[in-house]
C-alpha cells in the first residue's frame, strides 16, 4: 500500500502534467482511501477554489464526490467566492458610474440616464429596465452574467449614489409640458416623442424632457394624417356626447391641469370595455389595458405608479375611501402608508393621473367625485350590428395611426382657439370646461355648445348623487311642506323631524346629530342646485343651529 508521501507526489505529478485545476482535485479524490487528507493539501484547495470561481457546475460535481469532506471543503473555499463577489460588485458599480449618468428625482428615487446605440434612455435605478441594461452592459464588458443577489446589492448602492451625489432630474411619464409645447412619449424602441403646440405637431428623436417608462407600458403608433371621425367606428359613444369624450382624450395629454374622470356605463353587450380599450390605446397603451376592481385603496395608487392612465372595468361599487382616492388622483395629491418591514418609516407617493371607469351603472356616488366625473352611457347594440372581437381588433390596428393623428390635429387646433375662449359661468373643473369649448370651436360648434353639454352632465350626476342619500330625499319633501319656505332650528331637531318623512328604510340614516351634519355638508352643493339653501347660524346650548331656505329659482 503506498504511503502518504507517495500519494501526495502522485497528486502533484498529475497537476504538473495537466495544469488543470479540475484534474488536480479529481486526482486527489482518487487517493482518498489511501490518504484521507489528500483533499486538504494547499495546492488541491487552491485548485478547488479556481474551479469554484470558473465553473460552478464542475465544483458542485466534485464536492458531491467528496463524501464526508463536503462541509469542510466549502468552508475552505468560501473566502475565494466572497472575494470574487466583492470584486464583481465593485466592477459592476464602476461600470454603471462610467456608463450612466446617475441622479435622483424630486421624490428621492434614483434616476439613471444611459445611451444605447446612440439613443438616450432614462430609467429609475430600481426599475426592471435599468436592471436589464446593467446585466447586458456587464456581460458585454466582462463576458459573464450577474446574479440576482449581486444585482440587488449594486442597485441599492447606485440608488444611494444617485440620491446623495447626483443632480436632481425632472422625470415625466408619457406626457410633459415644456414651455408652450406638449410632449408625448411614443414609448417605442427609438425613444421618440410627439412635440405638439398651436402650430401643429411633429415626431422628434431627442425631446428636451426626460421620459421614463415602466414594464407594462406599450408604444403609441407613429401618427399619420387622418380623421378623428373614424374613431366612432370602434368607440360606442352617443353622437351628442362626442365632444365630451374627445375633450377627455385631449385633456389626458395635459399634465399641467387637473384631470376629469371618464365613466362609461351601459347594459351588458354595450361595448363598454372595448370602447374603453380603444380610448386608452389613444392615450396610454398598456399590457393590462383594463384592470378589475381595486381591492384596497392602495391598489389605486399602485396602478398610478406604474402607468399614466388608471383604468378599471366592470365596477359595481366603490368604497368611500376609494372614491376619495380617485378624487385625489385626478386633481393631484399624495398617498402615504407605512413602509414594509419598518416600524416608523413611510412610503410616500405624490401624483396626478387621468382615470377611466366602466360599469353597468354609475359607481361615482359621492358629490365631490361626481363633480369631477364625465359620465357617458354607451347605447345598446342590436344583435344584427354586433361584430366579432377578432375582426374588430384587426381593423382597429389598420385605422389606429390615422385616428391618433386626427386626435393630435384636433389637440393642436384646440390650442389655437383656447386663448379666445370666454366663460360666463365656470364649473368646478374650469380648465376642462375651457378646453372643451376650444375643442368644440375646432369642430365648428357655436360658442357655449360644450358648456351646455357639460352642465347637463354635471346636473345629471348631482341628481344621481342626491338619490343615494336618504337625507336629501327627506329634506326635499320636508321643505316642500314648509309654508314660509324656510325652517330654522338645531340639527338635532331637524333629525327628529326628518325621520317622520324618511320612510321605512333607515339603513343609511345618520345615527346622531353629528352624522346628519356630516351628510348635509356633503350634499349641500347638490341641494343648492335643487333650490335648497343651508346656512349655519352658530352654536347654542341646544346644539348647532341651521337655517334652511327654499329658494324661488
Amino acid at each position: 500500500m503506498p504511503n502518504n508521501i507517495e500519494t501526495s507526489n502522485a497528486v502533484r505529478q498529475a497537476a504538473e502534467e495537466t495544469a488543470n485545476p479540475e484534474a488536480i482535485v479529481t486526482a486527489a479524490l482518487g487517493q482518498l482511501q489511501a490518504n484521507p487528507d489528500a483533499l486538504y493539501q494547499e495546492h488541491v484547495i487552491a485548485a478547488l477554489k479556481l474551479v469554484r470561481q470558473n465553473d460552478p457546475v464542475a465544483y458542485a460535481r466534485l464536492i458531491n464526490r467528496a463524501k464526508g469532506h463536503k462541509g469542510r471543503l466549502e468552508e475552505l473555499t468560501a473566502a475565494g467566492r466572497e472575494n470574487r463577489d466583492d470584486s464583481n460588485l465593485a466592477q459592476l458599480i464602476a461600470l454603471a458610474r462610467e456608463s450612466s449618468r446617475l441622479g435622483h428625482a424630486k421624490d428621492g428615487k434614483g434616476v439613471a440616464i444611459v445611451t444605447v446605440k446612440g439613443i438616450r434612455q432614462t430609467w429609475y435605478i430600481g426599475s426592471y429596465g435599468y436592471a436589464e441594461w446593467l446585466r447586458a452592459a456587464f456581460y458585454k464588458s466582462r463576458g459573464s452574467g450577474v446574479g440576482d443577489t449581486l444585482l440587488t446589492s449594486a442597485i441599492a448602492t447606485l440608488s444611494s449614489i444617485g440620491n446623495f451625489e447626483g443632480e436632481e432630474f425632472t422625470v415625466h411619464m408619457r406626457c410633459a409640458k415644456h414651455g408652450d409645447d406638449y410632449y408625448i412619449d411614443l414609448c417605442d424602441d427609438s425613444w421618440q416623442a410627439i412635440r405638439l403646440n398651436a402650430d401643429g405637431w411633429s415626431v422628434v428623436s431627442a425631446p428636451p424632457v426626460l421620459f421614463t417608462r415602466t414594464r407594462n407600458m406599450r408604444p403609441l403608433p407613429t401618427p399619420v394624417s387622418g380623421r378623428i371621425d373614424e374613431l366612432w367606428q370602434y368607440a360606442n359613444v352617443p353622437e351628442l356626447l362626442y365632444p365630451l369624450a374627445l375633450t377627455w382624450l385631449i385633456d389626458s395629454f395635459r399634465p399641467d391641469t387637473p384631470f376629469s374622470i371618464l365613466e362609461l356605463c351601459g347594459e351588458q353587450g354595450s361595448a363598454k370595455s372595448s370602447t374603453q380599450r380603444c380610448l386608452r390605446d389613444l392615450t396610454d397603451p398598456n399590457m393590462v389595458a383594463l384592470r378589475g376592481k381595486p381591492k384596497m385603496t392602495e391598489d389605486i395608487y399602485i396602478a398610478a405608479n406604474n402607468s399614466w392612465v388608471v383604468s378599471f372595468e366592470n365596477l359595481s361599487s366603490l368604497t368611500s375611501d376609494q372614491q376619495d382616492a380617485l378624487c385625489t388622483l385626478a386633481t393631484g395629491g399624495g398617498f402615504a402608508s407605512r413602509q414594509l418591514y419598518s416600524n416608523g418609516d413611510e412610503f410616500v407617493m405624490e401624483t396626478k393621473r387621468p382615470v377611466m371607469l366602466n360599469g353597468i351603472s354609475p359607481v361615482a356616488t359621492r358629490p365631490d367625485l361626481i363633480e369631477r366625473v364625465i359620465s357617458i352611457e354607451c347605447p345598446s347594440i342590436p344583435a344584427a350590428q354586433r361584430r366579432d372581437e377578432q375582426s374588430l381588433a384587426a381593423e382597429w390596428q389598420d385605422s389606429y395611426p390615422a385616428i391618433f393623428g386626427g386626435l393630435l390635429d384636433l389637440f393642436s387646433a384646440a390650442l389655437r382657439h383656447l386663448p379666445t375662449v370666454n366663460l360666463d359661468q365656470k364649473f368646478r373643473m374650469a380648465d376642462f370646461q375651457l378646453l372643451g369649448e376650444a375643442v368644440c370651436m375646432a369642430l365648428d360648434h357655436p360658442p357655449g355648445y360644450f358648456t351646455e353639454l357639460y352642465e347637463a352632465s354635471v346636473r345629471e350626476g348631482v341628481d344621481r348623487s342626491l338619490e343615494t342619500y336618504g337625507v336629501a330625499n327627506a329634506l326635499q319633501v320636508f321643505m316642500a311642506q314648509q309654508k314660509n319656505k324656510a325652517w330654522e332650528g338645531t340639527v338635532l331637531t331637524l333629525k327628529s323631524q326628518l325621520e317622520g318623512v324618511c320612510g321605512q328604510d333607515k339603513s343609511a340614516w345618520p345615527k346622531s346629530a353629528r352624522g346628519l351634519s356630516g351628510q348635509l355638508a356633503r350634499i349641500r352643493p347638490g341641494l343648492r342646485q335643487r333650490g335648497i339653501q343651508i346656512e349655519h347660524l352658530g352654536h347654542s346650548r341646544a346644539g348647532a343651529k341651521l337655517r334652511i331656505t327654499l329658494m324661488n329659482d
Side-chain angles (χ1 to χ4, degrees), residues 211-237:
F211 285 113
T212 189
R213 301 172 179 179
T214 63
R215 193 172 186 175
N216 293 336
M217 294 176 69
R218 293 295 179 264
L220 284 160
T222 301
V224 297
S225 180
R227 288 177 55 83
I228 192 61
D229 290 345
E230 295 180 30
L231 171 62
W232 312 120
Q233 300 175 27
Y234 308 96
N236 186 28
V237 174

Side-chain angles (χ1 to χ4, degrees), residues 414-478:
L415 291 179
R416 289 195 294 272
H417 288 286
L418 191 58
T420 66
V421 176
N422 292 308
L423 297 177
D424 295 329
Q425 177 187 5
K426 291 184 180 179
F427 295 102
R428 181 170 185 175
M429 304 299 290
D431 294 282
F432 182 80
Q433 184 185 359
L434 284 165
L435 178 63
E437 284 290 345
V439 169
C440 284
M441 291 172 68
L443 294 172
D444 296 326
H445 292 298
Y449 185 86
F450 183 83
T451 297
E452 291 183 8
L453 288 178
Y454 189 36
E455 182 180 12
S457 176
V458 171
R459 187 185 301 114
E460 181 182 349
V462 169
D463 290 343
R464 186 174 69 246
S465 172
L466 291 178
E467 290 169 0
T468 64
Y469 286 87
V471 167
N473 298 326
L475 187 60
Q476 291 176 84
V477 174
F478 176 73

Side-chain angles (χ1 to χ4, degrees), residues 362-520:
V363 295
T365 57
R366 293 174 71 90
D368 46 353
L369 178 61
I370 283 178
E371 290 185 344
R372 295 170 169 85
V373 166
I374 304 300
S375 187
I376 294 177
E377 184 168 353
C378 298
S380 60
I381 301 176
Q385 298 179 14
R386 290 177 183 168
R387 305 163 66 187
D388 63 279
E389 291 285 344
Q390 190 172 4
S391 61
L392 191 66
E395 292 176 19
W396 167 254
Q397 290 303 319
D398 290 338
S399 303
Y400 191 10
I403 294 175
F404 183 49
L407 182 64
L408 296 178
D409 289 336
L410 182 60
F411 187 3
S412 179
L415 291 179
R416 289 195 294 272
H417 288 286
L418 191 58
T420 66
V421 176
N422 292 308
L423 297 177
D424 295 329
Q425 177 187 5
K426 291 184 180 179
F427 295 102
R428 181 170 185 175
M429 304 299 290
D431 294 282
F432 182 80
Q433 184 185 359
L434 284 165
L435 178 63
E437 284 290 345
V439 169
C440 284
M441 291 172 68
L443 294 172
D444 296 326
H445 292 298
Y449 185 86
F450 183 83
T451 297
E452 291 183 8
L453 288 178
Y454 189 36
E455 182 180 12
S457 176
V458 171
R459 187 185 301 114
E460 181 182 349
V462 169
D463 290 343
R464 186 174 69 246
S465 172
L466 291 178
E467 290 169 0
T468 64
Y469 286 87
V471 167
N473 298 326
L475 187 60
Q476 291 176 84
V477 174
F478 176 73
M479 290 305 299
Q481 298 171 352
Q482 305 303 309
K483 294 182 179 180
N484 297 326
K485 296 185 178 182
W487 180 91
E488 190 173 311
T490 65
V491 176
L492 185 60
T493 302
L494 179 63
K495 178 177 180 295
S496 176
Q497 295 186 11
L498 288 179
E499 287 175 348
V501 296
C502 71
Q504 298 297 322
D505 184 11
K506 295 184 180 180
S507 57
W509 194 259
K511 296 179 173 58
S512 64
R514 182 178 180 181
L516 177 59
S517 293
Q519 287 201 20
L520 290 176

Side-chain angles (χ1 to χ4, degrees), residues 90-206:
Q91 292 179 28
L92 191 59
I93 293 173
L95 175 65
R97 299 191 71 170
E98 292 172 3
S99 306
S100 57
R101 185 178 166 195
L102 303 179
H104 59 274
K106 185 179 179 180
D107 59 3
K109 294 172 66 175
V111 175
I113 302 175
V114 301
T115 302
V116 179
K117 296 180 180 179
I119 299 172
R120 185 191 67 192
Q121 300 181 2
T122 306
W123 298 103
Y124 283 117
I125 293 177
S127 68
Y128 171 82
Y130 186 69
E132 290 303 297
W133 173 85
L134 198 54
R135 288 181 191 271
F138 190 78
Y139 181 80
K140 183 178 179 181
S141 174
R142 303 291 188 269
S144 61
V146 179
D148 291 340
T149 302
L150 183 61
L151 184 65
T152 300
S153 299
I155 291 295
T157 303
L158 292 170
S159 294
S160 298
I161 293 172
N163 201 15
F164 292 102
E165 296 183 10
E167 61 184 296
E168 182 177 307
F169 297 124
T170 301
V171 181
H172 307 272
M173 181 186 289
R174 188 65 83 172
C175 304
K177 177 77 180 296
H178 183 71
D180 294 330
D181 300 328
Y182 288 93
Y183 288 89
I184 304 169
D185 184 13
L186 288 177
C187 279
D188 60 359
D189 293 338
S190 300
W191 287 70
Q192 297 182 111
I194 301 293
R195 174 179 175 267
L196 187 146
N197 54 35
D199 296 325
W201 58 268
S202 61
V203 179
V204 295
S205 298

Side-chain angles (χ1 to χ4, degrees), residues 235-242 264-272 275 376-382 385-386:
N236 186 28
V237 174
E239 184 175 356
L240 178 66
L241 303 183
Y242 287 174
L264 301 175
C265 308
E267 62 186 52
Q268 297 93 330
S270 58
K272 299 183 299 295
T275 296
I376 294 177
E377 184 168 353
C378 298
S380 60
I381 301 176
Q385 298 179 14
R386 290 177 183 168

Side-chain angles (χ1 to χ4, degrees), residues 240-318:
L240 178 66
L241 303 183
Y242 287 174
L244 289 175
L246 291 173
T247 302
W248 184 88
L249 285 171
I250 292 173
D251 194 45
S252 67
F253 293 133
R254 300 201 307 163
D256 53 325
T257 61
F259 295 116
S260 286
I261 297 172
L262 181 64
E263 182 181 52
L264 301 175
C265 308
E267 62 186 52
Q268 297 93 330
S270 58
K272 299 183 299 295
S273 294
S274 60
T275 296
Q276 183 170 341
R277 188 176 292 107
C278 287
L279 297 181
R280 177 162 193 183
D281 279 352
L282 291 170
T283 55
D284 180 42
N286 195 276
M287 185 173 70
V288 185
L290 310 179
R291 298 175 180 267
K293 179 183 178 180
K295 294 181 180 179
M296 300 182 294
T297 303
E298 289 82 353
D299 295 337
I300 296 174
Y301 290 99
I302 292 172
N305 196 45
N306 288 278
S307 61
W308 175 244
V309 173
V310 176
S311 173
F312 297 109
E313 70 165 340
N314 293 331
L315 301 178
S316 56
S317 63
L318 288 170

